[in-house]
Amino acid sequence: MQERELRCAICDGDMLFEVPPCEDGHDDCPELVCTRCGAAEVVAPIVVHLWMPSGEKRRVAPAQRSAAA
């Protein structure tokens, strides 16, 4: 099992977390379990998409324009 040190919200401190045996069958399980209290934590990447309207021109904010001048 892999181990990592993370902040546990239940223990209120830095604790060792380990990857439990995965029952789903995938190799890279995002779940970690605190070795002291057993609290589970899911570590997964967060994807953020930025949508910008295509008809709108990108403009510089007035404060940035005056600071650069």
Side-chain angles (χ1 to χ4, degrees), residues 1-65:
M1 286 190 210
Q2 301 173 11
E3 292 185 345
R4 291 170 63 169
E5 190 171 303
L6 296 171
R7 182 106 180 135
C8 180
I10 305 298
C11 298
D12 195 27
D14 292 336
M15 298 295 176
L16 280 178
F17 279 73
E18 63 184 14
V19 179
C22 186
E23 296 177 5
D24 295 333
H26 45 75
D27 294 331
D28 192 18
C29 193
E31 186 177 333
L32 296 171
V33 177
C34 177
T35 56
R36 180 174 179 220
C37 71
E41 188 158 325
V42 177
V43 181
I46 297 173
V47 179
V48 178
H49 296 279
L50 177 65
W51 177 78
M52 303 228 6
S54 59
E56 189 175 314
K57 239 173 57 171
R58 293 182 185 181
R59 291 183 258 159
V60 177
Q64 291 174 334
R65 213 178 12 239

